[in-house]
């Protein structure tokens, strides 16, 4: 959940809680949703009926699921971001040249959102998809973004979302995180050593505007048994940085 609005509209909150629960439960009936959200069944039914009427939810028998209309809104939101159109072809080329999974992420509401992903010939399948939102501190992409956000914004994000672990290797100490962010600013690259998913390594770099404003981050990720040693610490960082340089030039002169 995002920052609490001063004058939040309860009915809107409830509608989105129901939609979010449908996603979490991978579809559900009225009784299951009511129990999951601790809301009366009659209330859940009324909200679902309205959401079906507005074509945001689909009813299949006695079960309900999130409707594809949300995809239209997501695609529109993504198309409005210049960095998507500029970085997409370079992300494709990075995936092709490395054979791995290339990822483009932006920060929104203090979380990292996967804006685009491109699969190389040997890319592994991971659970995150385009649109998935993750805690910034758990990924190389997110840490690359945090490293170039204003310190007060980093404070806000950590205060709001915390530093919960995704794996046993996730950085959960604020001082340790700050030290790593300083190292990222020094080196220009960030690493994920199985910090979000066990067995997965990732190398990322920030995408900056000409005035050093963070626009997003680009990464390459793959299995730790394939991305290790010099490939992890030298080869892939070099390729990611080269690609980011092209993207930043295109941002400047687009």
């Amino acid at each position: 959940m995002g920052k609490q609005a001063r004058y939040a509209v309860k009915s809107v909150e409830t509608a989105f809680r129901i939609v979010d629960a449908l996603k979490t439960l991978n579809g559900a009936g009225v009784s299951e949703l009511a129990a999951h959200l601790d809301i009366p069944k009659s209330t859940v039914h009324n909200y679902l009926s309205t959401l079906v009427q507005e074509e945001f939810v689909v009813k299949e028998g006695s079960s309900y699921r999130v409707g594809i209309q949300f995809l239209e809104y997501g695609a529109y939101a993504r198309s409005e971001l210049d960095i998507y159109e500029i970085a997409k072809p370079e992300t494709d080329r990075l995936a092709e040249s490395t054979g791995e999974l290339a990822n483009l992420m932006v920060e929104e509401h203090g979380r990292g959102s996967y804006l685009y992903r491109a699969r190389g010939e040997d890319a592994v399948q991971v659970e995150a998809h385009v649109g998935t939102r993750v805690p910034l501190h758990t990924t190389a992409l997110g840490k690359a973004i945090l490293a170039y956000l204003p310190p007060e914004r980093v404070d806000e994000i950590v205060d709001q979302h915390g530093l919960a672990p995704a794996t046993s290797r996730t950085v959960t100490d604020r001082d340790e995180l700050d030290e790593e962010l300083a190292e990222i600013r020094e080196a220009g690259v960030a690493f994920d050593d199985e910090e979000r998913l066990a067995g997965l390594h990732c190398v990322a770099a920030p995408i900056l505007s000409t005035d050093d404003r963070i626009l997003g981050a680009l990464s390459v990720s793959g299995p730790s048994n394939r991305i290790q040693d010099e490939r992890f610490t030298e080869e892939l960082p070099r390729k990611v940085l080269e690609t980011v340089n092209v993207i930043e030039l295109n941002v400047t002169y687009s």
Side-chain angles (χ1 to χ4, degrees), residues 9 13 23 44 46 60 113-114 117 129 174 181 188 230:
V9 179
E13 284 186 340
K23 180 173 76 74
V44 171
N46 290 339
E60 296 176 333
S113 294
Y114 286 98
R117 311 192 90 171
H129 52 77
R174 179 60 194 272
L181 297 184
E230 289 187 2

Side-chain angles (χ1 to χ4, degrees), residues 3 22 27 32 60 74 76 81 88 98 130 145 153 162 168 181 184 195 202 216 223 233:
K3 187 182 295 184
L22 285 175
E32 185 179 3
E60 296 176 333
Y76 168 76
L81 297 175
K88 180 179 180 295
T98 61
V130 170
I145 290 171
R153 178 61 179 143
S168 62
L181 297 184
I184 292 167
E195 294 164 49
C202 185
T233 60

Side-chain angles (χ1 to χ4, degrees), residues 19-226:
V19 169
D20 190 61
L22 285 175
K23 180 173 76 74
T24 300
L25 298 171
N26 198 27
V30 172
S31 297
E32 185 179 3
L33 278 170
H36 181 78
L37 296 170
D38 194 23
I39 296 175
K41 286 192 284 187
S42 59
T43 301
V44 171
H45 181 268
N46 290 339
Y47 274 89
L48 286 171
S49 296
T50 304
L51 288 165
V52 169
Q53 172 188 296
E54 298 303 318
E55 301 180 356
F56 284 98
V57 166
V58 175
K59 183 179 182 182
E60 296 176 333
S62 61
S63 185
Y64 297 81
R65 64 171 173 82
V66 175
I68 293 175
Q69 184 172 184
F70 280 104
L71 184 60
E72 179 182 352
Y73 285 83
Y76 168 76
R78 184 172 72 169
S79 70
E80 288 294 288
L81 297 175
D82 291 340
I83 191 63
Y84 167 67
E85 296 294 343
I86 294 171
K88 180 179 180 295
E90 299 306 324
T91 307
D92 288 333
R93 292 187 186 98
L94 181 61
E96 183 179 0
S97 68
T98 61
E100 304 290 357
L101 183 65
N103 312 277
L104 177 66
M105 177 180 282
V106 295
E107 179 267 326
E108 188 174 76
H109 295 297
R111 298 186 188 275
S113 294
Y114 286 98
L115 199 62
Y116 182 67
R117 311 192 90 171
R119 297 177 57 82
E121 185 177 0
D122 299 318
V124 294
Q125 185 67 46
V126 294
E127 100 293 357
H129 52 77
V130 170
T132 296
R133 301 192 308 158
V134 298
L136 290 166
H137 71 286
T138 65
T139 68
L141 287 158
K143 289 184 291 185
I145 290 171
L146 284 171
Y148 286 87
L149 286 173
E152 59 273 16
R153 178 61 179 143
V154 177
D155 290 340
E156 289 177 358
I157 290 171
V158 173
D159 289 345
Q160 182 178 354
H161 298 294
L163 296 173
T167 72
S168 62
R169 302 178 73 95
T170 307
V171 176
T172 58
D173 178 79
R174 179 60 194 272
D175 290 338
E176 185 180 346
L177 177 64
D178 287 341
E179 289 178 9
E180 186 169 354
L181 297 184
E183 292 172 359
I184 292 167
R185 286 189 291 272
E186 178 71 23
V189 292
F191 297 93
D192 171 356
D193 184 8
E194 303 186 55
E195 294 164 49
R196 172 163 167 73
L197 293 173
L200 194 75
H201 277 173
C202 185
V203 179
I207 302 170
L208 303 173
S209 66
T210 53
D211 58 356
D212 285 339
R213 180 171 51 87
I214 186 71
L215 303 175
L218 183 73
S219 77
V220 170
S221 56
S224 55
N225 65 343
R226 195 162 67 215

